[in-house]
Amino acid sequence: MANAPRLTESASAVFAVLAGAGTATRPQLASLAGLSKPTVSSAVAELEGARLAAHWGTASGGTGRSAAVYGLGPAAGSALAVDLGPALTRVRGCALDGTLLAQATGPRQEAADVVREALAALPAGAPLRSVVVAVGDVTAHEDGTGERPATAKAGPVFDAMAVALPPGVPVHLENNVNCAALAELHEGAARGRNTFGYLRIGVGIGLGIVVGGQVLRGANGAAGELARLPYPWDDGREPRHEALEEYIGARSLLRRAAEAWPEADGPCPDTTERLFALADEGRTAALAVVGRHGTDVGRLAAAVTAVLDPGLIVLGGSTGADPQVLAGVRAELDRLSWPTEVITGTLGELGTVVGAARLAVARGVQTVTEAARAKD
């Protein structure tokens, strides 16, 4: 990774504003950065000299005058987001203004090759400023960084992927559900709602907690780890480690379908996609299993509202986001808790990599702007 040039504080501020805006004129940069026009002109010249900003064209004003339009330059670089999902690895490379530059998808076990494919598609010569890796695990450090996941759950696949990353580039870890929650906040179903819970139900279960527009991570980086809720919790029954995730997760859903499936209904579905498709067709056995799943997710949502009272729950995940689950969740939540809006997320399986890319871009901009050492 090429080191970012040292910038004056004003140039650093203008770079951050320009990255957020995508393109802007000098008067617009002055307004957004809260700096005088002469200071912005000097900062833009400094950024152009470092190839961190470039003249992108002109814009006509209301008075008929033309103003130069600036965007990020070739030396601004890029950021990489990696979603190490349970089955697939998704990678996105973005410019520091958020523009998508490269993407690749492949099997989880081929994560290193998927990363190399995306890296090869990034512009030649542009420095890679940051990498964010989304993992289905706890990220122990308070700032979301660390060498590897906090437990053994995602460690091996992370280690296998890490060999493909260029040396010297800052790598930041984030929980995959937290990334998806951020994506729904900024680009999905929760836009305009600064406090909500993103409840993901699929192979595993998890909760992204957004309060005041920020993800709540907790003292151990484990906020929202719903798999650790005690279950079962009844007389004479001892809670087991992550037993709730085992019960609500997709594998147990298919197991319950197999136990209840009548021979007259033909072969039992062996995927959740097939199970939900049969329920959508009106098959009685499939409807019963899916209906019970909605009730179970609704009870979990009631536990979430009892602690957080978020006002909004966004459902995601391979089974949680299915439209057939929504009614059951709403009904059970209404029965057990106070009024809480429940909606389905809009970003689907791409939510995690979209959120990770947003974080990677922000980290990349921070890498450049933290090079501000000289005082104006």
Side-chain angles (χ1 to χ4, degrees), residues 19-231:
T23 59
T25 63
R26 278 179 289 188
Q28 289 170 335
L29 290 171
S31 176
L32 291 169
L35 298 171
S36 69
K37 291 181 181 179
T39 299
V40 167
S41 293
S42 176
V44 168
E46 181 181 345
L47 293 173
E48 284 189 288
R51 301 176 69 241
L52 293 172
H55 180 211
W56 279 31
T58 58
S60 298
T63 62
R65 291 185 175 182
S66 295
V69 175
Y70 296 92
L72 296 185
S78 59
L80 195 73
V82 182
D83 170 18
L84 295 177
L88 294 176
T89 295
R90 292 183 174 87
V91 184
R92 284 193 170 198
C94 296
L96 296 194
D97 62 3
T99 301
L100 181 63
L101 300 174
Q103 56 186 336
T105 303
R108 176 183 172 96
Q109 63 269 26
E110 298 176 12
D113 291 335
V114 180
V115 169
R116 291 188 185 98
E117 180 184 344
L119 286 171
L122 292 176
L128 183 63
R129 300 294 187 187
S130 68
V131 177
V132 166
V133 182
V135 295
D137 200 354
V138 174
T139 55
H141 294 263
E142 191 172 279
D143 61 356
T145 67
E147 292 184 358
R148 63 196 310 272
T151 73
K153 185 183 291 186
V157 69
F158 173 82
D159 292 341
M161 178 278 306
V163 300
L165 297 175
V169 180
V171 177
H172 311 275
L173 297 183
E174 183 54 271
N175 176 266
N176 58 353
V177 181
N178 287 346
C179 288
L182 281 174
E184 294 290 349
L185 169 66
H186 292 285
E187 303 178 41
R191 280 179 292 185
R193 303 288 293 269
N194 285 334
T195 298
F196 67 96
Y198 174 77
L199 183 57
R200 174 179 278 182
I201 309 294
V203 175
I205 63 175
L207 177 69
I209 305 167
V210 177
V211 178
Q214 301 294 320
V215 169
L216 180 66
R217 292 179 172 83
N220 296 294
E225 287 293 312
L226 297 179
R228 299 299 179 92
L229 284 173
Y231 179 86

